[in-house]
Amino acid sequence: MKKTDFKLRKIFTPTVLAICGVLMLLSLFAGSLVFYAFGSDDSGYAITPVLIILLLAVIGIVLCLWLRRRIVRNDPVMGRFAAERISLKPGGTVRGQRKFGFMTMRWLIMLISFFALIYGVKWLGQGFGNIELPIFACPINQDQLIDSSCYTLAHLNSLVGMSWSEIGIFLGSLLLSIVVLGRFICGFLCPMGLIQDLTHETRQGLKIEGLSLNEKLYQRLKPIKWTLLLLFLGLSFVGGNFCNICPAITVSPALAGFKVSLFLSGFFMIVVIIGSFFKRRFFCNICPLGYLIGLGHRISLFRIKKDGQACTECGACYEACPMGIKTIYTEREKRDVTTADCIMCGECIDKCPENKALAMSFGGVKFYKASRKTFMSGQKKTDQRLKRLIRKREKNESNQ
Amino acid sequence: MSLINNKKDQPEMKHVIKNVIENKCDDHHSSPPTTMAERQRQRFVDKATKVSAKYLRRLAELDGAPAAMQPFFKVLSDIYVDMKNVAKTADTKIVGTYCVMVPDELIYAVGAQPVKLCSGSYTAFAIGDDLVPRDACPLIKAVMGFQAMEVMPIYDDCSLMVVPITCDCKKKMAGMLKERVPTYALHVPTAKSEDSDMEQYVQELYQLIPELEKVTGQTITYQSLAESIDAMGFAQYQMSKFNEHKKNVPALIKGTHAMALMNAFSYMPVAQWSQQLYLLNQELAQRKKDKHYVSKDKQPRIMVTGSPIIFPNIKIPLLIEETGGILVGDETCMGERSLYDPTVVVDQSFDGLMRSLANRYTRPCTCPTFVDNSQRIYRIKQMIADHQVQGVVYHVLRGCLVYDFEYQTLEDELGQLGIPVIRVESDYNEEDIEQLRIRIEAFIELIKLKDLALRPKKPEIAG
């Protein structure tokens, strides 16, 4: 049966890729309307390309699901579960786990950051253009609260023409944000992250099966990451422009009302949305900017700590990790398990059932620790219900 | 209280069993009820119930049993003394399981009742001795003994037995059982370091589902699976609360009672079990408030690990607590291990639930049948720290090789921590009980002396 599963995977991955290819071609035709280039007369709405991208992404997802269902149905073992695996019908959910807590905070911070990075200037009347975060919030949007240094990083040749003070600000803020925030930016602040988490949550809500990657498949994503990194840093030197393929450009300016020609980035964004629907934080796994920030993981102040003895190697953290970091559960000796890939999303700690086995720290202060009690806090309701039930029964008995 | 009632019931029940057996024989052979086999069977039942009743009495006589423990004793006595079936509705099918790798969640999700059939019966062991090789482990002998005698309803009413292929003995046992009852061999990965090992188990579980569905005729749905995961999760929630109570110094409950409670889990519907545990937890919380402890301040805190300790073979925990130690924790598969690790659902899809189940039943499992099992040492070390353990009793059943293999490493590791370890080998009989008593008593005295030798120094330093 292992074989059929491998076969399934072997078929599934190319189909996803093929569908993405078809969608790219489709969107080329869409491009001849209003998709990728705004006319010189500035006609059309800024939001139109976003809607087209969303529509095409939804079509792509539905196509993927339909194809998978066709493949799975013929499988001798899995065929029986074809309906259950793509279940859209409402059913019970597993309630025994914690609902609110650190993750609620993360969602709040992500939402605030998303809107601040898009509408910040409009709301506060003033931005902090001097500070440049290395983040995929498109700097073409002039309303951002904080500027993004991704443009400078993608156009390193423009450094030549800059004044020393500008270079100082660029390098200084880059270094400072790597040390102080590190990839906390990816997990908490990046608008691309929020979009991917939203698509992931949509899938969770619909209870559609995703793609669970293992070690080998994560390894296969690495070449894509290297290529993107090369394009990100080097395209400007050969006369290209990374912004033309950057998926981030499609969101932030359009929502703020800036009309930007999208070129290839629109197609890439469709791939990102479909990818992140099936695989959580798909783009983060291949993000060149995130990789650059991750290089400084040794000196960054946000850290993931582990108590090797308390760990039972249950692998829940690894299952939960959107970046596929295996050392988080295999490491036994080191107390610090921060790696270059870690985006500080805190999922591993959220899902860790062992007391104090995992913790997130900032500058040596552990502010978020794993605990069994909070992990199982979803069961408290059942506990209360049982309490009432027993009391009722005792009352009945005493009455009789 | 229930025990006294049971004693009254006992002759009656035996009579019923006798009738049942007679009927069976009438049907098959139409021979008079006093054939050789018939008398042997009767002797077997008499002896088995007598031994079980004796150990239950010793359990109850061990002072400090909370009142909320009684229902658990009742279950054990129902199964082993009165030879009743599991408390269930009439049309609920029973699925027998072995080891800790069979997901109870799946069995509950198809509407059946899982019963863990690993056995500790001395009498059945004596029967099984003739059926399997001499060096096979006593657990297998006991299981085969019960299977051959056909007197235990929990074995005979099984619609399906799910045997995980773990150690060699279990593997061969699956083959032998297949000749007598419908048996499904569940392949457990031999290693767990690679991702593909766990993914293989997901596939195995997917294949198990149709077999289970055949038993009840119900199909598994997302909702039924989610509900059963929640039900098991609630049992684990109560269990983790119970563990918090167990960490208390001085102890609030005796470890032998805690092991009896875990044994009772094998024969109770999960909802009923967690409800009783909830009551027990409340009583323990009350005890904590009243400072009503079952151990003295300086009683040696002992932990037991190694081969499974299954009722009625509870002589080792009983000996530890009868000779002045207090059993504070156990790392055995009929004890804490079976319910310790929760199912962590990270993906809400049906496949996500299946993955989380496969993950929960392989990766954190400290069963020594896995190739690399260093995590068991970390787990024991953590338990020593959590429960403030002063000595470890390493229990090895004769023929249980996999546990014997791991003794050396554990002894070395714990030697570095300064925790004394004693390896006790035992079999399913009462012949070695005096020898075990002497060894365990000496071990506990040693810890007491060590404690005394360390204690006077403290005031001197302070002064």
Side-chain angles (χ1 to χ4, degrees):
Chain A
M1 279 325 104
K2 221 171 141 189
K3 258 182 205 161
T4 50
D5 193 51
F6 275 135
K7 217 163 75 193
L8 219 156
R9 284 234 169 79
K10 239 184 231 167
I11 302 165
F12 188 66
T13 324
T15 22
V16 171
L17 289 177
I19 285 173
C20 291
V22 171
L23 280 175
M24 277 187 180
L25 284 174
L26 262 177
S27 45
L28 266 175
F29 289 110
S32 67
L33 302 169
V34 280
F35 187 27
Y36 73 87
F38 281 96
S40 51
D41 57 339
D42 261 16
S43 62
Y45 299 100
I47 201 84
T48 322
V50 179
L51 293 179
I52 295 174
I53 287 170
L54 266 178
L55 186 74
L56 287 171
V58 170
I59 293 171
I61 289 166
V62 172
L63 266 173
C64 280
L65 289 176
W66 175 74
L67 250 170
R68 180 169 63 185
R69 190 163 183 172
R70 274 192 74 97
I71 298 166
V72 168
R73 203 183 281 160
N74 297 328
D75 189 277
V77 177
M78 295 306 170
R80 147 85 185 77
F81 305 103
E84 215 57 60
R85 286 183 138 196
I86 316 167
S87 84
L88 291 167
K89 55 194 165 193
T93 40
V94 177
R95 286 182 294 262
Q97 285 169 28
R98 125 184 61 188
K99 292 285 182 292
F100 301 101
F102 189 74
M103 284 300 130
T104 328
M105 289 296 297
R106 191 169 78 91
W107 274 98
L108 271 179
I109 294 174
M110 276 204 296
L111 281 169
I112 291 169
S113 145
F114 184 78
F115 288 110
L117 282 173
I118 290 174
Y119 304 110
V121 173
K122 265 186 199 162
W123 286 351
L124 295 178
Q126 186 199 343
F128 302 93
N130 288 336
I131 313 165
E132 290 186 335
L133 275 182
I135 191 168
F136 265 145
C138 194
I140 290 168
N141 173 7
Q142 304 292 319
D143 285 351
Q144 287 185 332
L145 197 65
I146 295 167
D147 213 1
S148 167
S149 58
C150 72
Y151 188 81
T152 324
L153 276 168
H155 300 81
L156 281 175
N157 60 345
S158 67
L159 277 178
V160 183
M162 277 187 188
S163 67
W164 282 111
S165 64
E166 276 177 320
I167 295 176
I169 287 172
F170 162 66
L171 286 178
S173 60
L174 183 66
L175 198 72
L176 199 72
S177 46
I178 284 179
V179 171
V180 177
L181 296 171
R183 288 199 85 172
F184 179 82
I185 296 169
C186 305
F188 281 77
L189 306 176
C190 184
M192 283 295 280
L194 178 77
I195 291 165
Q196 293 183 76
D197 273 354
L198 280 174
T199 52
H200 170 79
E201 284 305 315
T202 317
R203 182 172 70 80
Q204 295 292 304
L206 296 170
K207 303 200 180 71
I208 294 169
E209 182 191 339
L211 260 185
S212 34
L213 300 195
N214 59 15
E215 254 173 317
K216 283 168 198 156
L217 290 169
Y218 273 114
Q219 287 298 324
R220 281 199 207 145
L221 284 178
K222 279 204 170 149
I224 307 177
K225 185 164 77 181
W226 297 119
T227 323
L228 273 180
L229 183 70
L230 204 70
L231 289 175
F232 182 60
L233 292 177
L235 213 54
S236 65
F237 291 106
V238 293
N241 186 358
F242 185 77
C243 295
N244 289 348
I245 57 166
C246 173
I249 202 173
T250 56
V251 184
S252 157
L255 288 180
F258 291 87
K259 289 168 185 171
V260 194
S261 297
L262 299 182
F263 303 105
L264 281 168
S265 45
F267 319 139
F268 198 21
M269 190 61 189
I270 297 171
V271 178
V272 167
I273 292 179
I274 297 176
S276 62
F277 181 81
F278 289 105
K279 162 77 191 91
R280 186 174 191 190
R281 292 260 180 172
F282 165 73
F283 181 68
C284 295
N285 279 282
I286 53 171
C287 177
L289 190 57
Y291 175 77
L292 284 179
I293 308 170
L295 286 180
H297 73 275
R298 278 180 209 286
I299 48 168
S300 111
L301 288 176
F302 276 100
R303 310 214 70 85
I304 303 285
K305 302 273 183 178
K306 180 173 173 181
D307 177 0
Q309 191 172 288
C311 173
T312 58
E313 283 185 44
C314 71
C317 45
Y318 178 45
E319 285 289 303
C321 182
M323 304 298 285
I325 301 165
K326 201 178 179 181
T327 45
I328 186 89
Y329 98 95
T330 50
E331 183 60 59
R332 258 9 239 282
E333 299 300 328
K334 272 193 241 162
R335 295 198 79 79
D336 197 313
V337 286
T338 321
T339 61
D341 285 334
C342 178
I343 56 168
M344 298 292 156
C345 62
E347 281 292 340
C348 50
I349 307 168
D350 189 55
K351 296 285 184 264
C352 179
E354 297 306 315
N355 290 331
K356 292 176 191 159
L358 283 173
M360 197 188 277
S361 76
F362 180 74
V365 184
K366 287 181 185 173
F367 60 93
Y368 175 38
K369 291 178 198 158
S371 120
R372 183 168 277 241
K373 205 174 167 187
T374 47
F375 169 76
M376 289 184 160
S377 57
Q379 295 286 2
K380 265 186 196 157
K381 257 187 189 167
T382 327
D383 206 71
Q384 305 275 309
R385 211 181 306 139
L386 186 62
K387 201 177 191 176
R388 280 197 297 271
L389 194 100
I390 288 170
R391 208 175 283 159
K392 212 181 197 176
R393 201 194 294 157
E394 276 170 2
K395 220 182 226 172
N396 284 349
E397 275 172 15
S398 61
N399 284 346
Q400 285 167 5
Chain B
M1 292 303 281
S2 59
L3 277 174
I4 300 162
N5 289 336
N6 287 335
K7 272 176 202 164
K8 276 177 197 165
D9 293 344
Q10 209 173 297
E12 226 176 81
M13 278 310 296
K14 265 185 208 165
H15 189 65
V16 172
I17 290 161
K18 208 195 252 168
N19 284 344
V20 168
I21 292 161
E22 278 166 8
N23 286 338
K24 254 186 195 169
C25 290
D26 284 343
D27 289 343
H28 292 297
H29 312 290
S30 65
S31 55
T34 48
T35 56
M36 186 69 177
E38 173 56 28
R39 265 178 286 154
Q40 189 194 2
R41 199 169 282 177
Q42 190 53 48
R43 266 206 306 280
F44 174 80
V45 173
D46 285 346
K47 213 171 158 195
T49 49
K50 212 195 269 169
V51 172
S52 304
K54 186 173 94 182
Y55 278 97
L56 264 175
R57 201 169 55 241
R58 274 174 79 182
L59 256 181
E61 276 168 5
L62 195 70
D63 58 333
M69 271 307 288
Q70 292 306 328
F72 298 112
F73 292 151
K74 174 86 169 60
V75 167
L76 288 178
S77 108
D78 276 352
I79 300 288
Y80 280 100
V81 182
D82 298 344
M83 303 234 169
K84 279 187 197 165
N85 207 333
V86 182
K88 58 171 182 73
T89 51
D91 51 349
T92 310
K93 294 277 200 302
I94 289 187
V95 173
T97 67
Y98 296 87
C99 294
V100 286
M101 285 88 158
V102 186
D104 285 349
E105 285 91 339
L106 288 182
I107 299 171
Y108 281 119
V110 295
Q113 167 68 38
V115 181
K116 210 173 181 188
L117 294 178
C118 290
S119 172
S121 168
Y122 297 157
T123 331
F125 159 77
I127 303 286
D129 217 5
D130 302 330
L131 300 172
V132 292
R134 190 196 60 192
D135 287 343
C137 92
L139 195 152
I140 306 301
K141 291 179 185 171
V143 170
M144 290 316 293
F146 271 135
Q147 205 61 60
M149 292 315 282
E150 297 179 348
V151 286
M152 290 279 274
I154 51 167
Y155 285 87
D156 299 338
D157 286 0
C158 261
S159 307
L160 178 73
M161 285 196 184
V162 184
V163 188
I165 305 302
T166 49
C167 59
D168 286 353
C169 288
K170 285 270 159 65
K171 192 188 278 173
K172 294 314 286 178
M173 186 185 80
M176 287 180 79
L177 284 175
K178 214 167 222 165
E179 293 164 10
R180 297 161 187 271
V181 278
T183 304
Y184 182 80
L186 182 69
H187 293 271
V188 177
T190 46
K192 42 190 173 179
S193 51
E194 295 292 319
D195 285 359
S196 49
D197 295 325
M198 201 280 282
E199 276 161 13
Q200 180 200 337
Y201 201 55
V202 180
Q203 295 302 310
E204 294 296 336
L205 293 186
Y206 267 118
Q207 277 171 289
L208 172 65
I209 290 177
E211 299 293 324
L212 293 174
E213 283 172 345
K214 263 183 233 161
V215 170
T216 56
Q218 283 183 39
T219 46
I220 212 163
T221 60
Y222 182 89
Q223 193 159 1
S224 71
L225 189 58
E227 272 166 15
S228 66
I229 285 177
D230 267 340
M232 287 291 284
F234 185 60
Q236 285 173 327
Y237 174 72
Q238 294 299 341
M239 186 65 203
S240 69
K241 273 187 163 181
F242 179 67
N243 275 343
E244 287 304 311
H245 288 310
K246 259 166 81 178
K247 284 176 192 167
N248 202 50
V249 185
L252 293 169
I253 182 164
K254 294 219 160 154
T256 316
H257 292 142
M259 293 200 82
L261 159 104
M262 289 310 298
N263 268 288
F265 175 72
S266 311
Y267 315 110
M268 276 168 98
V270 61
Q272 202 184 326
W273 187 82
S274 31
Q275 206 167 332
Q276 284 305 333
L277 188 55
Y278 169 82
L279 292 174
L280 180 62
N281 278 336
Q282 281 202 324
E283 194 179 337
L284 291 185
Q286 188 59 41
R287 276 189 175 186
K288 197 173 181 179
K289 229 182 260 169
D290 302 344
K291 294 205 167 64
H292 171 56
Y293 303 121
V294 295
S295 75
K296 293 185 196 81
D297 231 4
K298 292 291 170 189
Q299 223 166 335
R301 293 171 71 83
I302 309 288
M303 181 183 139
V304 69
T305 180
S307 303
I309 291 171
I310 308 157
F311 185 84
N313 177 37
I314 50 164
K315 56 186 173 193
I316 291 193
L318 271 175
L319 280 176
I320 291 171
E321 301 210 308
E322 282 170 357
T323 52
I326 179 91
L327 186 63
V328 287
D330 65 272
E331 203 280 322
T332 61
C333 49
M334 277 301 266
E336 253 185 72
R337 193 192 296 160
S338 58
L339 274 180
Y340 181 76
D341 295 292
T343 310
V344 184
V345 178
V346 293
D347 192 302
Q348 295 288 342
S349 67
F350 185 76
D351 188 62
L353 299 187
M354 291 298 288
R355 263 184 89 88
S356 66
L357 280 180
N359 196 44
R360 174 247 187 276
Y361 283 97
T362 49
R363 279 200 180 125
C365 182
T366 49
C367 180
T369 53
F370 290 107
V371 174
D372 169 41
N373 199 26
S374 60
Q375 72 197 74
R376 177 154 172 251
I377 304 220
Y378 287 102
R379 176 87 195 98
I380 291 171
K381 274 187 185 170
Q382 180 65 24
M383 284 183 83
I384 287 172
D386 278 350
H387 296 273
Q388 301 179 35
V389 172
Q390 290 167 296
V392 175
V393 174
Y394 198 95
H395 172 233
V396 179
L397 282 178
R398 184 158 296 147
C400 187
L401 284 178
V402 279
Y403 274 106
D404 222 356
F405 266 110
E406 293 197 345
Y407 175 69
Q408 286 293 336
T409 8
L410 186 78
E411 194 187 23
D412 291 348
E413 289 282 335
L414 294 191
Q416 283 169 14
L417 286 179
I419 303 283
V421 194
I422 185 176
R423 175 184 175 281
V424 289
E425 190 170 329
S426 82
D427 217 337
Y428 277 8
N429 56 45
E430 289 179 312
E431 286 156 23
D432 55 1
I433 213 157
E434 285 311 311
Q435 191 201 346
L436 285 174
R437 186 192 297 277
I438 291 165
R439 290 193 65 201
I440 288 172
E441 203 164 11
F443 182 67
I444 285 163
E445 287 304 315
L446 177 100
I447 291 167
K448 274 185 191 159
L449 281 175
K450 204 176 143 197
D451 210 29
L452 270 176
L454 288 172
R455 221 188 302 167
K457 279 179 194 166
K458 281 176 193 164
E460 275 173 32
I461 296 162

